[in-house]
Amino acid sequence: MNLNGANAKDADRTVIIGGGPAGLTAAYELCAANKSSVVLEAENDVGGISRTAEYKGYKFDIGGHRFYTKVKVVEQMWRDVMGKDFLTRSRSSRILYNKHFFQYPLEPWNLFLGLGPIETGLCLLSYTKAGLEKHAKKLLRIPQPERDFETYVSIRFGKRLFKRFFESYTEKVWGMKCREIQSEWAAQRIKGISVKKVILTFLTFGGRSAKDVKIKSFINSFEYPRHGPGMLWNRVKEIVEQRQSEVVMNAPVTRVLWEPERGVTAVEAGGKLYGGANFISSMPIRDLIAAFDPPPPPHILKARDAFSYRDFLTVALITRGQPKTEDNWVYIHEPEVKVGRVQIFDNWSPEMVPEPDRTCYGMEYFCFEGDGLWAMSDPDLIALASKELERVGLAKAADVVDGTVVRQKKAYPVYDDAFRPGLAILREFLDKLPNLQLVGRNGMHKYNNQDHSMLTAMLAVRNILGAQYDLWRINIDTEYQEEGGNITEEELHQLERSQPLVPMPLAS
């Protein structure tokens, strides 16, 4: 096949679609193995949702990004790249519900004082009732289907706690009722929360916090680049480019040329064809299939319609004075306001805020591209966010001196009842393309964390080098996951011992 612009000398390289954590990790690993690659990034900045935005010297995340993992190879890469620019930060977060702030993870006395004795008792009764019903059905071998988020949570925590601490925030995030969200997402994201442990802590240790008795599902601190996560990914980009690999910006992939059984032969981005021996994609799986040329069979094109996404925007507000709280972020469970979560970037790193008498708040709104929130003008969004900042009690609207808006498309892959059957169909088709691997959050339509996205990329590179890892076995667990995914422990040990994971500092 004539690649019309793809150089023959690049026939052995790997073409990587997407310059987020997964794509750049793949390029980094390939460079360490002395293999060439080209990264095609659709935007004008690397890092994807893990990039750091900047406005008048103020830096802020697209959401908050903690650097914490039990995957040693991922942690090692972070440390090799960042060196002394990695800060250790104390973790502090709260939930705002019914005009009260609750520590997260939940702390017994704080929960008791916030809810009051009557509501606390009713929540405990609801939790006990749910536990007894679950145990009775198990003994009687009565099926307990848990197909949706609401059922999954209610069975484990009771209906009352679900209503208080799960329903409002979850529906803000996803823009749908909890009964429409698959239980798979709940199993992955809230696996470690234990009401039983909180109760035992309260009864046994005189109200000491969950942190004090080291409930393992939560962490007390995390690492963070002093100038935000984008600092890491910009540095990885520099490293990759210094080792003769290419990172092409503003290069959205519009065509994926392929042949049955043979696989992908080239991709087109910005009117140029990029050929290679191997291809790694982190672009949204729906868009990837739409770009296939020639088009795949009709049932494959139909299956791509099963994938939907939740979009996201951040209104960064700059206020007078220093933060009044030590929280890194606050979850907003109040249905009266549209904001879903608030980041306080001074508390992530003081170097994110250039003026000592200012605070930068990230007001986060979950939306769909084109809906009312997404379509609001920037001045209107800043005005809305300023009012809501005061309503949630973090600062006065009158203290807001400036602000800006960043919109992020396809921030979260949606777990509705359509995506799983669609994914099964597409996987069967893609498995027949031997030189194409999907990685990362949107590439695999998995709501995973940064470290899991990176791990998929590391294993994809090792597959190019001759291994046989099944990337789909890497699980997405809770935010504070203590295991390395659903691959075996021995496989992770082998990965830790394997090359080419070696330090690659910037050239002097």
Coordinates of all heavy atoms in Angstrom, one line a residue, residues 230-263:
G230 N 0.7 18.8 34.9 CA 1.2 19.2 33.5 C 2.7 19.3 33.5 O 3.4 19.1 32.5
M231 N 3.3 19.7 34.7 CA 4.8 19.8 34.8 C 5.4 18.4 34.4 O 6.4 18.4 33.7 CB 5.2 20.2 36.2 CG 6.6 20.5 36.4 SD 7.0 20.9 38.1 CE 8.7 21.4 38.0
L232 N 4.8 17.3 35.0 CA 5.4 16.0 34.7 C 5.3 15.7 33.2 O 6.2 15.2 32.6 CB 4.6 15.0 35.5 CG 4.8 13.5 35.1 CD1 6.2 13.0 35.5 CD2 3.7 12.6 35.7
W233 N 4.1 15.9 32.6 CA 3.9 15.5 31.2 C 4.6 16.3 30.2 O 5.1 15.8 29.2 CB 2.4 15.4 30.9 CG 1.8 14.3 31.8 CD1 0.9 14.5 32.8 CD2 2.1 12.9 31.9 NE1 0.6 13.3 33.5 CE2 1.4 12.4 32.9 CE3 3.0 12.1 31.2 CZ2 1.5 11.0 33.3 CZ3 3.1 10.8 31.5 CH2 2.4 10.2 32.5
N234 N 4.8 17.6 30.5 CA 5.6 18.4 29.7 C 7.1 18.0 29.7 O 7.8 18.0 28.7 CB 5.5 19.9 30.1 CG 4.3 20.6 29.5 OD1 4.1 20.7 28.3 ND2 3.4 21.0 30.3
R235 N 7.5 17.6 30.9 CA 8.9 17.1 31.0 C 9.1 15.7 30.3 O 10.1 15.5 29.6 CB 9.2 16.9 32.5 CG 10.7 16.6 32.7 CD 11.1 16.8 34.2 NE 11.0 18.2 34.6 CZ 11.3 18.6 35.9 NH1 11.6 17.7 36.8 NH2 11.2 19.9 36.2
V236 N 8.1 14.9 30.4 CA 8.1 13.6 29.6 C 8.2 13.9 28.1 O 9.0 13.3 27.4 CB 6.9 12.7 29.9 CG1 6.9 11.5 29.0 CG2 7.0 12.2 31.4
K237 N 7.4 14.9 27.7 CA 7.5 15.3 26.2 C 8.9 15.7 25.9 O 9.4 15.3 24.8 CB 6.5 16.4 26.0 CG 6.5 17.0 24.6 CD 5.5 18.1 24.4 CE 5.5 18.7 23.1 NZ 6.7 19.6 22.9
E238 N 9.5 16.5 26.7 CA 10.9 16.9 26.4 C 11.9 15.7 26.3 O 12.7 15.7 25.4 CB 11.4 17.9 27.5 CG 10.7 19.2 27.5 CD 11.2 20.1 28.6 OE1 12.4 20.3 28.7 OE2 10.3 20.6 29.4
I239 N 11.7 14.8 27.3 CA 12.6 13.6 27.3 C 12.4 12.8 26.0 O 13.4 12.4 25.4 CB 12.3 12.8 28.5 CG1 12.7 13.5 29.8 CG2 13.0 11.4 28.4 CD1 12.2 12.8 31.1
V240 N 11.2 12.6 25.6 CA 10.9 11.8 24.4 C 11.5 12.5 23.2 O 12.1 11.8 22.4 CB 9.4 11.6 24.3 CG1 9.0 11.1 22.9 CG2 8.8 10.7 25.4
E241 N 11.3 13.8 23.1 CA 11.8 14.5 21.9 C 13.3 14.5 21.9 O 13.9 14.5 20.8 CB 11.2 15.9 21.9 CG 9.7 16.0 21.6 CD 9.1 17.3 21.7 OE1 9.6 18.2 22.5 OE2 8.2 17.6 20.9
Q242 N 14.0 14.6 23.0 CA 15.4 14.5 23.1 C 16.0 13.2 22.6 O 17.2 13.1 22.2 CB 15.9 14.8 24.5 CG 15.8 16.3 24.9 CD 16.3 16.6 26.3 OE1 16.9 15.7 26.9 NE2 16.2 17.8 26.7
R243 N 15.2 12.2 22.6 CA 15.6 10.9 22.2 C 15.1 10.5 20.8 O 14.8 9.3 20.5 CB 15.2 9.8 23.3 CG 16.2 9.9 24.4 CD 15.7 9.4 25.8 NE 16.7 9.5 26.8 CZ 17.0 10.7 27.4 NH1 16.4 11.8 27.2 NH2 18.0 10.7 28.4
Q244 N 14.9 11.5 20.0 CA 14.6 11.4 18.6 C 13.3 10.8 18.3 O 13.0 10.4 17.2 CB 15.7 10.5 17.9 CG 17.2 10.9 18.2 CD 17.4 12.4 17.9 OE1 17.0 12.9 16.9 NE2 18.0 13.1 18.9
S245 N 12.4 10.8 19.3 CA 11.0 10.5 19.0 C 10.2 11.8 18.8 O 10.7 12.9 19.2 CB 10.3 9.7 20.1 OG 10.8 8.3 19.9
E246 N 9.1 11.8 18.2 CA 8.4 13.0 17.8 C 7.1 13.1 18.5 O 6.4 12.1 18.7 CB 8.1 12.9 16.3 CG 7.6 14.2 15.7 CD 7.5 14.1 14.1 OE1 7.7 13.0 13.6 OE2 7.1 15.1 13.5
V247 N 6.7 14.3 19.0 CA 5.4 14.6 19.5 C 4.8 15.7 18.7 O 5.3 16.8 18.6 CB 5.5 15.1 21.0 CG1 4.1 15.4 21.5 CG2 6.2 14.0 21.8
V248 N 3.7 15.4 18.0 CA 3.1 16.3 17.0 C 1.9 16.9 17.7 O 0.9 16.1 18.0 CB 2.8 15.6 15.7 CG1 2.2 16.7 14.7 CG2 4.0 14.9 15.1
M249 N 1.8 18.2 17.9 CA 0.7 18.9 18.5 C -0.3 19.3 17.5 O 0.0 19.4 16.3 CB 1.1 20.1 19.3 CG 2.3 19.8 20.3 SD 1.9 18.5 21.5 CE 0.5 19.2 22.3
N250 N -1.6 19.6 17.9 CA -2.6 20.0 17.0 C -2.8 19.0 15.9 O -3.0 19.4 14.7 CB -2.4 21.4 16.5 CG -2.3 22.4 17.7 OD1 -3.3 22.5 18.5 ND2 -1.2 23.1 17.8
A251 N -2.8 17.7 16.2 CA -2.8 16.7 15.1 C -3.9 15.7 15.4 O -3.6 14.5 15.8 CB -1.4 16.0 15.0
P252 N -5.2 16.1 15.4 CA -6.2 15.1 15.6 C -6.3 14.0 14.5 O -6.2 14.4 13.3 CB -7.5 15.9 15.6 CG -7.1 17.1 14.7 CD -5.7 17.4 15.0
V253 N -6.4 12.8 14.9 CA -6.4 11.7 13.9 C -7.8 11.7 13.2 O -8.8 11.6 13.9 CB -6.1 10.3 14.6 CG1 -6.4 9.2 13.6 CG2 -4.6 10.3 15.0
T254 N -7.8 11.7 11.9 CA -9.1 11.7 11.2 C -9.3 10.5 10.4 O -10.5 10.2 10.0 CB -9.1 12.9 10.2 OG1 -7.9 12.9 9.4 CG2 -9.1 14.3 11.0
R255 N -8.2 9.7 10.1 CA -8.4 8.4 9.4 C -7.5 7.4 10.0 O -6.3 7.7 10.3 CB -8.1 8.6 7.9 CG -9.2 9.1 7.0 CD -9.1 8.7 5.6 NE -7.8 9.1 5.0 CZ -7.2 8.6 3.9 NH1 -7.8 7.6 3.3 NH2 -6.1 9.0 3.5
V256 N -8.0 6.2 10.1 CA -7.2 5.0 10.5 C -7.3 4.0 9.3 O -8.3 3.4 9.1 CB -7.7 4.4 11.8 CG1 -6.9 3.2 12.1 CG2 -7.7 5.4 12.9
L257 N -6.2 3.9 8.6 CA -6.2 2.9 7.5 C -5.9 1.5 8.0 O -4.9 1.3 8.8 CB -5.1 3.4 6.4 CG -5.2 4.8 5.9 CD1 -4.2 5.1 4.9 CD2 -6.6 5.1 5.3
W258 N -6.6 0.6 7.5 CA -6.5 -0.8 8.0 C -6.9 -1.8 7.0 O -7.5 -1.5 6.0 CB -7.4 -1.0 9.3 CG -8.8 -1.0 9.0 CD1 -9.6 0.0 8.6 CD2 -9.7 -2.2 9.0 NE1 -10.9 -0.4 8.4 CE2 -11.0 -1.7 8.6 CE3 -9.5 -3.5 9.2 CZ2 -12.1 -2.6 8.5 CZ3 -10.6 -4.4 9.1 CH2 -11.9 -3.9 8.8
E259 N -6.4 -3.0 7.2 CA -6.8 -4.2 6.4 C -7.1 -5.3 7.2 O -6.5 -5.6 8.3 CB -5.6 -4.5 5.4 CG -5.2 -3.4 4.5 CD -4.0 -3.8 3.7 OE1 -3.5 -5.0 3.7 OE2 -3.4 -2.9 3.0
P260 N -8.2 -6.1 6.9 CA -8.5 -7.3 7.7 C -7.4 -8.2 7.9 O -6.6 -8.4 7.0 CB -9.7 -7.9 6.9 CG -10.2 -6.8 6.1 CD -9.1 -5.9 5.8
E261 N -7.2 -8.7 9.2 CA -6.2 -9.6 9.6 C -4.8 -8.9 9.6 O -4.1 -9.1 10.6 CB -6.1 -10.8 8.6 CG -7.4 -11.5 8.5 CD -8.0 -12.0 9.8 OE1 -7.3 -12.3 10.7 OE2 -9.3 -12.0 9.9
R262 N -4.4 -8.1 8.7 CA -3.1 -7.5 8.7 C -3.0 -6.4 9.8 O -2.0 -6.3 10.5 CB -2.8 -6.9 7.3 CG -1.5 -6.1 7.3 CD -1.2 -5.4 6.0 NE 0.0 -4.6 6.0 CZ 0.3 -3.8 5.1 NH1 -0.4 -3.7 4.0 NH2 1.4 -3.0 5.2
G263 N -4.1 -5.7 9.9 CA -4.2 -4.7 11.0 C -4.1 -3.3 10.4 O -4.4 -3.0 9.2

